[in-house]
Structure formats: structure tokens, C-alpha cells
């Protein structure tokens, strides 16, 4: 018997069908109270004593273990902190340090731009001929030569929802002697990721999408258990030090995954995230994934039957698709504004992509049908074709 | 007529005399409500629309300008984000890129260890003979040779409160052709910093100490206005891109200080900080500094008169002292625990330093006298000499 959906665990505005949990998850019930307690009773009541009394210092590892459970990572292999861009930098730098004789980072043009930008900034700063090589997503496996130090890919394409074959690409990378880094931004909380089983060296991800941690929720980094004691932190902050409160003058990496911490943890954001993660209790990722496939397939068939002007850009085969479905439409930006104005929240990605995310914790078949009806009304009756929707500034 | 103190603006526990605002500032009134509004009405009510409707995307620059006002930085020269350790990395990397022919970073042994660690990690990663040279604080000016790319110092020593001569050292650095980076962790909100007038190229700082932003509040970075359009971001995240939502494949730094942004801003932490900064309305930093000197001098004379076993390790001359006063005592760790147990909150820094911070927004002469009486009782009657206080684990 499925535990899904669990709408009662979320505070969703009345009448809204939220198909954008892949961009920013909604507010789980209890989170506001948990944050208020952290602010008033912990910070306000304990002040500096909160670091010990309220176990703030352990938040990054404690919450890391909770996230780890959802991506198939064992305790002690995931730690929270910073932003996903910073975690990408950490992973790339560590990967290059594992393969000092190689100069190339391989990624694909479907990767989220910030991952590519971080690689570019890192390469310019290191200034030793490090090259970011970008190929089309379908050409990745064939492009992993023996000069590649690190393969860095996002499993699910943020625009199309196309999903890489994690096992096959990881295997190809490792056969070529490259380090494999997966970005799980659109995977964690959506797919039944088994990151340890994949064998990849490192993975990173964010928690404000499917994990509902709230705006600005911290990122995570996973390091394969056999590497946590040797991985070299380029961002060598004091909270990754072996003994932060000894205040030694020289850096000495901490035990295990703790070394991937950098500075002071974002205590309020972590309190929100930790409470938000409770919605995953007693649900399995296999169950979530099955429901996501069902909702996505239903949406595709409904939209294709109703809206011939929208063309599917996501893979039709659910095996190679994440938990979002995208359609191309020439006036997609204005159309999405008109759809949003009617309470169906998706988002737009340049140049012409209308993107919809399927998050089975709070969506059911009725939501999908109702959303399709509203989209049909907007599209068939061209309700988007007004100056208001054309002129509006791009949403984030 | 002084506006100080303004205790009514803070929620301080009854009976506590909080001399640790230099480590974690107390909770200003209104912050909990502001955070709750951000969680419930903004995240809960607007969901993804909050990025535009609630101006989350502008938080880092908007709050940066508010912090800038307190450190003598003009609008458009300060931006918030990440942690102080990350901002140190950004500044060091940018400084090295400004002086590509030089290989040394100069700092001092009184700098906060995380700043030194970040430099060490950066040097190891860059792997081009970058050297972190550390000298004693009093030897810095004499050590700035023409091989120094970047001088990176914390203005106020976290342990002793010793204050560097910002104007003189900046001048010496620039005469030798080095880039000057100041860490204002113990300065922002405590001293009447005039960062633009100092002429330094960059500065960084945190906001959870004197600025009362709460545990995990984000850091800031300042770049001198004439350099903001040319400084090169090594941490080249998408929110520092010229057009983040164009999703170009290549990085192109954003206009002005925006380029020093990296990833998604910590919206909840920034909401707390923005509200917390209201306590600085209609008070000048000169006024705060004068009150801090008065409170610190009073504390020194009271402790020296009452507790001969404690020896001052901070400078006696307020001109070269920040807003904290430290005393050495052999059993300082146990002694501080006993003092804290009686409601006077200071902290301890290895190996033997009892540290007290003076934050004139919520402390007055009566607090100082009462604290000195309690400390005298603990010290003269050796109330610290119990297994309980000796055994307790080091606080953070």
C-alpha cells in the first residue's frame, strides 16, 4: 500500500498546483516552528552556548547522514554546507588532485551552467593548462579518453529532464582512469539514486529542490567511503580541520567526510532542512520514483492529447528521464506566465522550454488532470497572447 | 546625547551578562518574526515566485550595502554570501590574479587559523610555488617585500584583541606593490572602520559576531570601487554571471560587485541578518567605538584591581586594541566555565586565554562592574577548582 501522496505534510496555497518542486520545493509543515525554535530558544536562549547545547556543530554531518539515506550513501560519506557551486569546486579540485598528470575536465552542454562556470573559474585560477571539454550529452561516453582527469556530469538535464546512464558512464570513466563526479541536483529526492553502488568517487547536490529545504538551503557533498581519509580539500577551512579548536597555524584535514566542511555552518538553514527531511520518513525512494514515472507519463499523454502546439523535449522513455517533463513552445515564456496566473506553477528555461516537475509527495492524478485542463485552456485559446505576459521579466 | 546602550532592542536572557558578542551576537528583537514571515508568507506563500516577488535575488547586494554603511564602504562595493573562509579564498585568489608575477602571501601568526588554512589549501591546489609566509604580528610591516603578491591580515587579533595599524600597513603593502586584503571579522560593528578611505583592495568579514546576524549568518566581501569591474572571480558561480538566466555555457563576470556572488543566496539567514542590522539605525560607529573603549578600560581596571592572578594579554593602549579584552590565567579553561555558570558569558581560547567582548549596543557600566564582581568571586575563592569545570569539553 503506497504512502503517497502525503499532501497533509505540506503547507500548499489553496488552489495552486505546484509543478515546480524541481526548482524550489514547497514548505513542509513543522518547518516554521522548527526554525522559530532555533532562533528563539537556541540562538536567543543559549547564545554562544548553542554550539554545544543545541549540537549546531554536528548539524552538517547529522543532516548529511539523513540526506545520504535518500541517495544510497552510507553514514559518514555525506556532509552539508555552502552552495552547490562551491561543492562542485571542491569536487573538481579534489578530482584534479587525484589525477595530477591529467589536464582535462569532461562535461556536457546539458550540464547546469554554474557547474561549467565553476570549472572555468577553477581552470583559469589554477592556470596550468586545465581544460574544460564540453561535448553533447549523447557523446559523453565516447569522449572519455585517457587524458581526462575528471568527468563531471549532472545526472538529469535541468532543461529537458534527460537522464544519463549513471552506471555505464561511471564504468567508462573509471576504465579510462578518470575520476567520476555526479551532480545530483535533479536526482536527490526524485530518483532512487544508489550512489555508493554506482562506484563514483564523488557526488554533489542541492537540497532546495526535491528535498524541500527552502530558499538558500545548503548543498551536500558525497565522497566514496574508501576515499574520505585521503581526499584533499582545496577549500581548507577550519571546520574541516582535524582539531578546529586547537587553533593550530597549519591545516591538517579532519577525520573522514568532516574534512569537506569549510566554514561556520548555516544553522538556521540547516534547522529548516532537517525538519523538512522528516517528510521522507517511512517512504522509499523506489516508491517515490514509481509514482513520479506514473505522474510524468500521465502528464505527457494528457498534454499531447490536448495541446498539439507543444512538443515534447523530454525523453519519452521514462528509463532515461528524470522527474520533470519539458515541452517546447515558441512563445513558451508568455505561455508559462499565463499558466502560472491560473495557478499551475511550472517554469521556463531559455530559449523556449516550458518545464514541469513531478513531485509525488504532494501531487496526485487529479492534480495532473486539472493542470492539463488549465494548460489546454491557455494554449488552445491563446490566453498567453497579451502584452502583459509577453512583457514580464524572466522569473528565476 | 548618546543613543547607547539600546538593550531594549535585544532579547537577552534574564540575569545573563553577555560578554561574548564578539563570538556570536545575541538575538535582536524582531528577527524571529522576520524569519517567520520569510518562511511562511514568502517561501510558503510565494514558493518559486518569491525570488521575484520577495526580492530574494537582490538580498546579497541590498544587505551588502547596509553592511557597507557600517564599514565605510560605498554602495555597490560590498556583497553578501557564503562563509568568511570562502570569502578569504575569493579575495586571495583575486589578489594573486592581480599580481601574476609574485608568489607569496604574507600573513601573521595572530591571524585567525581558518584564514591561514584557506591560504594553505589554495596554495597546494594552485601548485605553482605559492607560499604562505607567516610572521609575528609586530613584524608584518617590515616583512612586506617586493615578492609579496597579497598581504592578508585580520585587523583585530581574535585571541588578544591587538589591533593592526590599518592605514600604515596598507600604505606599506601598496608601496611594495602588494594587494592588501583585510579581514574585518572582529572589526565590523565594533570599530569605526573606514575601509574605502584605507585604500585597501579588498576586505572580508562575517556578520554573526558584532553584527548579530545569528549562527551561520553569511559573510561579506568588499572590493575597492575602482576594481569591481576588473576583479577576476576564481569561484565563478552562476549568480556572479553577467546574465545568470541566459544559461550561457561560458562564464562572463557580472557587472560590479555582483561578480563576487557565487551560488544561491541563503535567503533565511539573510532575512535574519537584514532585520538584525536595524539595531544600527541612528547610531554612529564613532559613538559605538567610544563606548567600547570606555567599557573595555573600565573592565581592565576592575579586573586588575580585583584579580591579581589574571594577567592582561590585550594591549593596554586602546588605540591598538579592538573591542575585546583578554586575560591569561593558567587554569583559564576551568575558570571560564565557572564564570559562565554564574551568568557572565565570555569564552576561552587555547592555551590559556579568557576572552571578553564589549558590545556597547547592549552593555553598560553596571554590567561591567557586576561581571567583575562575579569574576572576582570565582577567582579569589577558586570556585573553578572542581572536577566539573576541569573536565568539561571545550566550548566553541
Amino acid at each position: 500500500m503506497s504512502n503517497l501522496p502525503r499532501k497533509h505534510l505540506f503547507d500548499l496555497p489553496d488552489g495552486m498546483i505546484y509543478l515546480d518542486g524541481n526548482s524550489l520545493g514547497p514548505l513542509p509543515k513543522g518547518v516554521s516552528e522548527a526554525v522559530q525554535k532555533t532562533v528563539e530558544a537556541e540562538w536567543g536562549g543559549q547564545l554562544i552556548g548553542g554550539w554545544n547545547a543545541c549540537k549546531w556543530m554536528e548539524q552538517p554531518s547529522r543532516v548529511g547522514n539523513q540526506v545520504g539515506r535518500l541517495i544510497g550513501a552510507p553514514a559518514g560519506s555525506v556532509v552539508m554546507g555552502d552552495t552547490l557551486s562551491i561543492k562542485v569546486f571542491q569536487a573538481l579540485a579534489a578530482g584534479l588532485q587525484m589525477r595530477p598528470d591529467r589536464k582535462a575536465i569532461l562535461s556536457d552542454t546539458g550540464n547546469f551552467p554554474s557547474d561549467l562556470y565553476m570549472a572555468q573559474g577553477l581552470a583559469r585560477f589554477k592556470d596550468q593548462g586545465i581544460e574544460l571539454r564540453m561535448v553533447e550529452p549523447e557523446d559523453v561516453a565516447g569522449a572519455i579518453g585517457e587524458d581526462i582527469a575528471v568527468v563531471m556530469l549532472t545526472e538529469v538535464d535541468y532543461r529537458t529532464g534527460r537522464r544519463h546512464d549513471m552506471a555505464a558512464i561511471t564504468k567508462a570513466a573509471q576504465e579510462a582512469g578518470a575520476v567520476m563526479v555526479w551532480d545530483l541536483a535533479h536526482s536527490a529526492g526524485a530518483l532512487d539514486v544508489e550512489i555508493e553502488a554506482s562506484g563514483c568517487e564523488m557526488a554533489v547536490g542541492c537540497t532546495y529542490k526535491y528535498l524541500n529545504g527552502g530558499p538558500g538551503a545548503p548543498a551536500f557533498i558525497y565522497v566514496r567511503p574508501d576515499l574520505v581519509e585521503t581526499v584533499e580539500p582545496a577549500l581548507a577551512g577550519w571546520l574541516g580541520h582535524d582539531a578546529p579548536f586547537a587553533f593550530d597555524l597549519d591545516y591538517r584535514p579532519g577525520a573522514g567526510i568532516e574534512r569537506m566542511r569549510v566554514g561556520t555552518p548555516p544553522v538556521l538553514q540547516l534547522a529548516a532542512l532537517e525538519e523538512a527531511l522528516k517528510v521522507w520518513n517511512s517512504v522509499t525512494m523506489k516508491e517515490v520514483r514509481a509514482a513520479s514515472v506514473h505522474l510524468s507519463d500521465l502528464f505527457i499523454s494528457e498534454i499531447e492529447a490536448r495541446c498539439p502546439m507543444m512538443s515534447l523535449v523530454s525523453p519519452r522513455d521514462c528509463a532515461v528521464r528524470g522527474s520533470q517533463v519539458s515541452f517546447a513552445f515558441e512563445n513558451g515564456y508568455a505561455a508559462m506566465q499565463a499558466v502560472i496566473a491560473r495557478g499551475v506553477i511550472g517554469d521556463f528555461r531559455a530559449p523556449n522550454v516550458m518545464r514541469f516537475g513531478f513531485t509525488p509527495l504532494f501531487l496526485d492524478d487529479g492534480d495532473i488532470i486539472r493542470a492539463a485542463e488549465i494548460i489546454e485552456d491557455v494554449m488552445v485559446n491563446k490566453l498567453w497572447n497579451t502584452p502583459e505576459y509577453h512583457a514580464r521579466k524572466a522569473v528565476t
Side-chain angles (χ1 to χ4, degrees), chain A residues 44-115:
Chain A
Q46 298 285 335
L47 295 99
I48 189 67
W51 286 107
N52 281 337
C54 310
K55 302 192 192 305
W56 294 340
M57 201 48 84
E58 301 162 25
Q59 271 183 328
S61 300
R62 187 174 68 235
V63 179
N65 286 339
Q66 294 164 21
V67 170
R69 196 180 67 78
L70 302 176
I71 59 168
S77 65
V78 175
V79 72
M80 312 304 301
D82 308 297
T83 63
L84 178 49
S85 297
I86 295 292
K87 294 300 168 202
V88 165
F89 187 94
Q90 282 188 300
L92 288 177
L96 288 172
Q97 286 172 316
M98 290 175 188
R99 299 293 182 271
D101 299 331
R102 299 184 177 202
K103 299 285 188 195
I105 297 167
L106 179 69
S107 193
D108 71 47
T109 57
N111 203 347
F112 188 69
S114 199
D115 293 23

Side-chain angles (χ1 to χ4, degrees), chain A residues 108-347:
Chain A
D108 71 47
T109 57
N111 203 347
F112 188 69
S114 199
D115 293 23
L116 305 174
Y117 302 160
M118 292 305 290
Q120 291 164 6
L122 174 153
R124 264 195 307 275
F125 172 65
K126 191 161 164 71
D127 188 26
Q128 292 197 12
I130 300 297
E131 171 205 359
L132 171 64
R133 201 172 298 165
M134 285 184 267
V135 299
E136 294 300 306
E138 58 273 23
D139 298 333
V140 166
I144 310 177
E146 305 223 329
D147 60 336
I148 304 290
V150 184
V151 180
M152 174 208 23
L153 298 170
T154 298
E155 185 186 12
V156 176
D157 187 303
Y158 74 104
R159 211 156 3 196
T160 65
R162 185 264 317 128
R163 182 184 185 181
H164 273 305
D165 184 338
M166 187 182 275
I169 292 178
T170 301
K171 186 160 177 284
Q174 295 183 336
E175 282 174 0
V179 170
M180 185 74 229
V181 176
W182 286 105
D183 180 339
L184 303 176
H186 289 268
S187 308
L191 307 180
D192 47 340
V193 181
E194 291 290 347
I195 202 68
E196 188 185 21
S198 84
C200 73
E201 281 80 2
M202 286 174 282
V204 296
C206 65
T207 62
Y208 46 76
K209 297 179 184 290
Y210 295 95
L211 296 179
N212 312 307
F220 65 84
I221 186 165
Y222 158 84
V223 177
R224 205 174 66 196
D226 62 310
L227 298 173
V228 290
E229 299 294 350
T230 52
V231 66
E232 209 174 322
L235 300 175
W238 71 309
L239 291 184
H241 192 280
D242 188 45
F245 295 98
F247 300 107
D248 294 335
L249 293 180
D250 291 309
Y251 183 74
R252 194 171 68 242
I257 194 69
E258 292 282 317
R259 68 181 59 193
M260 301 311 269
R261 293 174 64 166
V262 186
T264 303
V267 172
L268 306 187
Q269 303 275 173
L270 278 163
L273 173 61
E274 188 165 15
E275 183 68 25
L277 290 173
K278 291 182 180 168
V279 300
W280 301 93
N281 289 345
S282 66
V283 70
T284 68
M285 288 311 305
K286 283 198 192 313
E287 189 178 22
V288 172
R289 172 63 178 159
S292 148
V293 167
H294 166 75
L295 295 172
S296 303
D297 284 345
L298 177 62
F299 185 76
I300 292 171
S301 66
E302 289 290 325
I303 292 296
E304 291 193 326
R306 296 164 187 269
C307 304
M309 69 295 284
M310 292 170 68
S311 57
L312 184 68
V313 293
S314 297
R316 195 172 296 279
D317 175 6
C318 66
V320 292
R321 193 179 65 217
S323 199
Q324 68 177 71
V325 171
S326 299
F327 285 89
F329 174 61
E330 192 186 352
N331 291 290
Y333 179 73
M336 186 54 85
Q337 297 311 307
V339 168
I340 289 171
R342 280 153 187 83
V344 175
I345 314 299
D347 63 15

Side-chain angles (χ1 to χ4, degrees), chain A residues 17-39:
Chain A
I17 301 175
Y18 194 63
L19 305 183
D20 211 3
N22 53 322
S23 192
L24 177 70
L27 173 62
K29 284 182 180 155
V31 166
S32 187
E33 293 75 8
V35 173
Q36 192 177 357
K37 173 173 166 272
T38 305
V39 171

